[in-house]
Amino acid sequence: MHHVSLRPFPDNFLWGAASAAYQVEGAFDIDGKGLSVWDVFVREPGRTFQGSNGDVAVDHYHRMEEDVALMAEMGLTAYRFSVSWPRVLPQGRGAANEAGLAFYDRLIDALLAQGIEPVLTLYHWDMPQALQDEYGGWEGRRVIDDFGDYCALLFRRYGDRVKTWVSLNEQNYNLSNAYLLATHPPALADRKRFYAANHIAFLANARAIQLFRQLVPDGRIGPSFAYSPAYPASCAPADLLAFDNAEEFTNHWWLDTYCYGRYPQVALAWLRQRGEAPDILPGDMAALAAAKPDFIGLNYYYTLTYTDNPPDGVGLQRINTTGQKGSTPSSGVPGLYRTTPNPQLETSNWDWAIDPTGLRIALRRLTSRYALPVLITENGLGEFDRLEDGDQVHDAYRIDYLRRHLAACQEAISDGVALMGFCAWSFTDILSWLNGYQKRYGFVYVNRDETDVRDLRRVRKDSFFWYRRVIASGGREL
Ligand code: BGP
């Protein structure tokens, strides 16, 4: 579809940037915070790149005012952050930690004072370790009540000032790593348990949305989904089937359930034949269907291209966590699909396909299938950056990436997509869960590496000045 002229970005478009608690805050054991599963996991040898962890991260907990001042200077109109569950409920439930709650009060108030809309993520992967120990975190149905109580605490405390909320961040990506690839805690590879944990997480997501309706009736809430639109490797029917399988099993399984409260039937039948489908109790599907989100949060980084995978074909493989280009193997599910490089697309040093048109396709597919507004809750480029003399970082590659993805957003708006805003990943440099500190995403460079926290100095990159101009022009000057 070619447009002769493009629609402008709407006046109330959210020009944002994003982060997550564990990746920026540090202060992992300060002011009464309890441990999360990540605080424990990163201490196990070999789990993360060079043993990197978020003990200090970029020390946002202590430098919040400085970071918000930089956001204001840049002209952001939205900032997406997550609350650390064990910072506010050290044991996951029960007594709240007032110091933790007060930190987010200060952050929210500082943002509002600058005219920056807070976008609060309830869960960005830092399950309280206490609940993991007690009943297996997402594997125990008790988490539905505990997560609901935690969310209600935040709705009551911040709902007067925060109107845009994200429920679960990337349930699909996080639980795939946690229960299939063994790369996030609790590091298992068991498909039956994977689907069981997802089913419970869906119910917890639904509980949160139901409570939100009562406690923040004038707010809007939705999950953030890691959406990698599928492409077929060729027009061979077997590749089309592989593509279809990938859409069902890697995308619709989550999106259909969030938006319609139903599992894709072909995928469900396949899992039932293998005894791997989740146990669905009476009332579960009704609870899911009754909790339709207000919008879809879209985390978009790349598309994936699929080809046929025979029953004795390749299984799931770890991703590239070193930045050594070309080190990602083909990965798949025997009998369903496997990934293959797309010869049409350039890739980053971490082998992520750079595909702005894929973002437009993602936005169009979401709009046509679910008829909901979309908020881009993450999009950005992780790359090696070089701090040069005079505190300069010339990240032209990041500007190019973001410019092309924002241009794709404008095409999608012109296609009829109700796009609420764009939160670039990330505002400052941050800890990348498995890739350490060398895979940088920020507009603001942070002077630290994997093992040496140095002075944690903030340095504006070229992309900082570029995004400031984009925002000031309302997206007219990309
Ligand atoms: C998403 C996560 C973010 C962030 C981002 C970049 O999956 O929601 O927390 O980490 O991806 O990924 P990575 O850090 O692996 O490059």
Side-chain angles (χ1 to χ4, degrees), residues 23 124 169-170 301 352 378 425 432-433 435 439 441:
Q23 298 179 273
H124 204 127
N169 177 71
E170 296 192 356
Y301 292 92
W352 291 12
E378 291 182 25
W425 187 265
S432 170
W433 304 91
N435 310 280
K439 189 181 187 189
Y441 280 92

Side-chain angles (χ1 to χ4, degrees), residues 62-117:
H62 295 115
R63 292 163 197 249
M64 181 271 284
E65 281 84 6
E66 180 187 353
D67 289 342
V68 173
L70 283 163
M71 292 173 204
E73 180 185 328
M74 198 185 204
L76 286 190
T77 60
Y79 175 58
R80 172 179 178 237
F81 62 95
S82 78
V83 169
S84 159
W85 182 353
R87 190 179 292 290
V88 301
L89 287 169
Q91 296 304 309
R93 64 152 167 258
N97 175 30
E98 180 54 34
L101 288 165
F103 169 72
Y104 299 107
D105 273 326
R106 290 200 304 279
L107 170 61
I108 291 162
D109 291 344
L111 293 169
L112 291 172
Q114 299 292 347
I116 302 170
E117 172 153 349

Side-chain angles (χ1 to χ4, degrees), residues 38-333:
W38 279 90
D39 291 317
V40 176
F41 182 70
V42 293
R43 285 174 220 293
E44 297 170 13
R47 293 301 193 189
T48 62
F49 179 70
Q50 292 186 0
S52 53
N53 65 53
D55 288 4
V56 176
V58 297
D59 202 30
H60 174 68
Y61 188 77
H62 295 115
R63 292 163 197 249
M64 181 271 284
E65 281 84 6
E66 180 187 353
D67 289 342
V68 173
L70 283 163
M71 292 173 204
E73 180 185 328
M74 198 185 204
L76 286 190
T77 60
Y79 175 58
R80 172 179 178 237
F81 62 95
S82 78
V83 169
S84 159
W85 182 353
R87 190 179 292 290
V88 301
L89 287 169
Q91 296 304 309
R93 64 152 167 258
N97 175 30
E98 180 54 34
L101 288 165
F103 169 72
Y104 299 107
D105 273 326
R106 290 200 304 279
L107 170 61
I108 291 162
D109 291 344
L111 293 169
L112 291 172
Q114 299 292 347
I116 302 170
E117 172 153 349
V119 177
L120 191 159
T121 304
L122 290 159
Y123 184 79
H124 204 127
W125 308 354
D126 40 8
M127 172 68 67
Q129 182 66 39
L131 302 186
Q132 190 67 39
D133 293 341
E134 206 173 317
Y135 51 69
W138 294 116
E139 290 191 88
R141 277 194 175 238
R142 286 163 61 193
V143 78
I144 301 166
D145 284 343
D146 287 342
F147 183 66
D149 290 349
Y150 157 67
C151 293
L153 173 72
L154 303 195
F155 296 154
R156 290 198 174 92
R157 177 94 177 201
Y158 308 125
D160 58 335
R161 289 159 289 160
V162 180
K163 300 298 176 191
T164 308
W165 297 67
V166 173
S167 48
L168 300 183
N169 177 71
E170 296 192 356
Q171 177 190 329
N172 61 325
Y173 186 76
N174 178 219
L175 295 189
S176 298
N177 277 275
Y179 292 99
L180 292 176
L181 284 157
T183 43
H184 287 184
L188 298 164
D190 183 322
R191 201 151 58 198
K192 171 89 187 158
R193 289 172 72 176
F194 168 69
Y195 283 103
N198 270 289
H199 185 66
I200 292 172
F202 282 128
L203 291 165
N205 184 71
R207 172 71 60 83
I209 291 178
Q210 293 258 296
L211 289 163
F212 187 75
R213 300 283 172 240
Q214 296 160 29
L215 296 170
V216 195
D218 60 342
R220 47 192 184 175
I221 190 167
S224 278
F225 183 70
Y227 187 19
S228 297
Y231 289 175
S234 77
C235 54
D239 284 350
L240 258 296
L241 263 182
F243 148 80
D244 219 48
N245 290 335
E247 279 290 301
E248 286 261 303
F249 281 88
T250 69
N251 294 325
H252 300 158
W253 188 266
W254 286 267
L255 290 166
D256 287 7
T257 308
Y258 290 137
C259 299
Y260 297 129
R262 71 170 189 243
Y263 288 122
Q265 292 303 298
V266 169
L268 188 59
W270 192 88
L271 292 171
R272 283 199 168 130
Q273 282 164 20
R274 284 160 184 77
E276 292 169 347
D279 295 330
I280 299 172
L281 302 187
D284 284 358
M285 297 318 286
L288 297 179
K292 191 171 173 131
D294 299 305
F295 64 88
I296 298 171
L298 168 60
N299 291 0
Y300 174 79
Y301 292 92
Y302 50 79
T303 49
L304 289 171
T305 300
Y306 292 94
T307 188
D308 184 41
N309 194 17
D312 59 351
V314 300
L316 292 175
Q317 307 290 326
R318 271 192 86 120
I319 55 162
N320 167 353
T321 57
T322 59
Q324 198 190 328
K325 200 168 182 169
S327 64
T328 304
S330 176
S331 176
V333 177

